[in-house]
Amino acid sequence: MIRIKDSDKISLGENIKNARQNKGLTQKNFAEKLGISQSQLSKYENGKAVPDGEILRNMSLVLGESINMIMCEFEDPSRTSELEPLIRNN
């Protein structure tokens, strides 16, 4: 299992929150679309938990953004190899 630093959890959480807000979704609406509780989404957004690969894929579909964009806030093909283990192993 890959360990994620606390600072990276917070950054990921901020990216999720920013992407959600950019799409005009509330936490409640987004959580419902993902099939998770609002409290779980809040944990992701606050860096208290990290979404697994399935949740990341669902976030990508709901938000219309790539997983790279959600995780890094920019499209950088060179980072894809770093992100793949996170998606597969979670």
Side-chain angles (χ1 to χ4, degrees), residues 2-90:
I2 294 175
R3 300 268 181 214
I4 299 176
K5 297 182 291 188
D6 287 341
S7 61
D8 290 338
K9 288 180 188 177
I10 293 168
S11 179
L12 173 59
E14 290 171 355
N15 293 350
I16 292 168
K17 182 177 180 178
N18 289 338
R20 172 183 61 77
Q21 290 177 332
N22 287 340
K23 293 296 179 185
L25 294 170
T26 65
Q27 270 192 344
K28 182 180 180 187
N29 297 137
F30 192 36
E32 287 173 355
K33 290 177 183 290
L34 296 173
I36 62 173
S37 68
Q38 184 176 347
S39 65
Q40 186 62 40
L41 177 58
S42 178
K43 288 177 186 175
Y44 296 150
E45 290 186 355
N46 291 307
K48 306 280 186 209
V50 176
D52 64 20
E54 181 180 350
I55 296 295
L56 281 171
R57 282 188 293 275
N58 290 342
M59 286 179 176
S60 174
L61 291 171
V62 170
L63 296 171
E65 298 284 357
S66 70
I67 293 173
N68 280 7
M69 190 68 176
I70 294 168
M71 293 189 75
C72 305
E73 267 197 324
F74 59 90
E75 291 292 340
D76 184 353
S78 68
R79 298 274 326 259
T80 302
S81 62
E82 296 174 39
L83 301 176
E84 286 176 357
L86 294 173
I87 297 163
R88 273 187 260 149
N89 292 332
N90 285 315

